[in-house]
Amino acid sequence: MDLTEELRRRTEAAATPRLAARPGTLLRRTVIRHTWDEARLLPTPDPATTLLLTPVADYLLGPADRTAALAALHHWDAAQ
């Protein structure tokens, strides 16, 4: 990659809107999801809680019950 391309990439990345940072709790590590090129947000029945699924681990975002979050992950896994 040449310098011009790298500068263009960084400029585009800086202009991309970002989500606000939220504290998260590791729920589980996963087998590496090689086919994923980005993380996914999985909503839960509780609007204050979201699950963040990444290529290497899954996280609980928000003040939810860990047991309920793991149940939501199990439901998501079964649907895949």
Side-chain angles (χ1 to χ4, degrees):
M1 178 181 303
D2 67 14
L3 181 60
T4 304
E5 185 178 345
E6 178 64 15
L7 290 173
R8 179 196 52 78
R9 187 190 67 77
R10 289 181 184 201
T11 301
E12 287 176 2
T16 303
R18 304 276 183 204
L19 296 174
R22 294 169 56 185
T25 303
L26 176 66
L27 289 174
R28 66 180 183 183
R29 297 195 188 283
T30 64
V31 173
I32 295 176
R33 297 167 173 144
H34 291 287
T35 59
W36 289 27
D37 58 355
E38 60 186 28
R40 300 175 187 188
L41 292 173
L42 181 65
T44 65
D46 177 0
T49 303
T50 303
L51 301 177
L52 174 66
L53 285 58
T54 74
V56 296
D58 299 325
Y59 299 88
L60 170 62
L61 304 179
D65 176 22
R66 184 178 174 86
T67 303
L70 288 170
L73 279 175
H74 177 72
H75 179 73
W76 184 83
D77 288 340
Q80 298 306 304

